[in-house]
Amino acid sequence: MAEQMGFFTDTTVCIGCKACEVACKEWNDVPDDGFVFRATSYDNTGSLGASTWRHVAFVEQDGRWLMMSDVCKHCTHAACLDVCPTGALFRTVFDTVVVQSDVCNGCGYCVPACPYGVIDRREDDGRAWKCTLCYDRLRGGMEPACAKACPTKSIQFGPLDELRERAQERVERLHAEGVTDARLYGESPDNGVGGTGAFFLLLDEPETYGLPPDPVVTTRDLPAMWRWAGGAALALAAGVAVCFAGRKP
């Protein structure tokens, strides 16, 4: 397998230009989001979805704006991949998670399985869609379209180990400059999804940006559940066998 690749998004230098959203749509031929005017902020896409693979969130606070370009996290322990019955979801050589649209049958099991609420189905064809981390570009030796288009390098692409080191150095530098609220989100391999292929530098709690504070892979308890179900089935079968064995012919 090739070196694990991913995104580090430094929200402190995001200017909300949405170049990443446009580049993603143009390269991947993602349809429009409906051009909805929400009248609540400059955020016209609202959230990630089947036709929004990059979403720039705008959070208005007293005296400042917080902006963040959100994307699929490409979890190390990906529940969407675990529950897919057709193999439409697969892990690439870059350790990213991709949906094969021609294999997806639209069952939708992956949608509730995602702890981040990323993956979704399109209304027109029912199939699931999400960020591919530009798998086709990676195979050609290019960086993802969103990272290429970002004018401030808020979105950085590269080997995950290098990105984690760079991110930690950035946090330490911000703390030294008095920005004590700076913190990393999703970078630890010990978190509830085994680490993510897309992590972030935030200036407030994750919930402020619409991110879950402590995500856990939703299929974590499946092995134990199957063991309990198997044990219950064996106990039931043993009970039925005892009942029949005790009957007189």
Side-chain angles (χ1 to χ4, degrees):
M1 179 174 286
E3 194 170 18
Q4 188 176 13
M5 309 297 283
F7 289 126
F8 162 47
T9 301
D10 183 350
T11 68
T12 66
V13 293
C14 177
I15 59 175
C17 66
K18 293 178 177 282
C20 55
E21 287 191 7
V22 175
C24 175
K25 284 184 175 293
E26 286 186 346
W27 180 263
N28 295 291
D29 197 25
V30 179
D32 68 77
D33 313 275
F35 302 106
V36 178
F37 177 61
R38 302 179 185 278
T40 54
S41 77
Y42 294 105
D43 181 356
N44 64 306
T45 47
S47 63
L48 292 171
S51 297
T52 307
W53 298 2
R54 268 283 178 185
H55 165 238
V56 178
F58 290 77
V59 181
E60 187 174 7
Q61 295 183 331
D62 292 336
R64 69 173 181 175
W65 281 92
L66 299 178
M67 290 168 281
M68 180 196 73
S69 181
D70 198 8
V71 71
C72 173
K73 312 307 179 290
H74 293 274
C75 305
T76 300
H77 302 313
C80 60
L81 193 154
D82 290 341
V83 302
C84 180
T86 65
L89 279 145
F90 74 100
R91 189 171 297 280
T92 73
V93 295
F94 303 103
D95 212 10
T96 58
V97 180
V98 173
V99 183
Q100 300 173 98
S101 58
D102 58 332
V103 182
C104 177
N105 67 357
C107 68
Y109 294 166
C110 55
V111 177
C114 176
Y116 296 96
V118 168
I119 196 166
D120 200 3
R121 293 189 298 169
R122 286 188 190 152
E123 293 184 2
D124 58 346
D125 66 12
R127 293 178 295 172
W129 302 83
K130 73 172 192 68
C131 161
T132 66
L133 218 147
C134 283
Y135 180 46
D136 54 343
R137 290 177 65 93
L138 298 192
R139 287 184 297 171
M142 298 185 291
E143 65 179 325
C146 56
K148 183 71 174 178
C150 182
T152 64
K153 298 304 177 184
S154 171
I155 302 171
Q156 301 175 36
F157 168 77
L160 270 182
D161 289 339
E162 292 182 13
L163 291 177
R164 289 181 182 126
E165 291 180 8
R166 190 185 308 169
Q168 189 57 50
E169 292 173 359
R170 173 65 173 159
V171 170
E172 292 172 0
R173 187 161 63 251
L174 287 170
H175 286 177
E177 295 172 356
V179 187
T180 56
D181 289 336
R183 85 277 317 261
L184 295 179
Y185 175 85
E187 87 292 352
S188 175
D190 299 323
N191 64 18
V193 295
T196 58
F199 65 97
F200 305 82
L201 192 162
L202 307 178
L203 291 176
D204 208 328
E205 298 296 332
E207 299 95 319
T208 302
Y209 299 85
L211 296 168
D214 189 22
V216 174
V217 58
T218 53
T219 53
R220 176 188 60 180
D221 298 323
L222 276 182
M225 293 169 63
W226 280 113
R227 286 195 296 270
W228 280 104
L234 288 174
L236 178 61
V240 171
V242 168
C243 289
F244 277 98
R247 293 180 61 182
K248 295 181 179 180

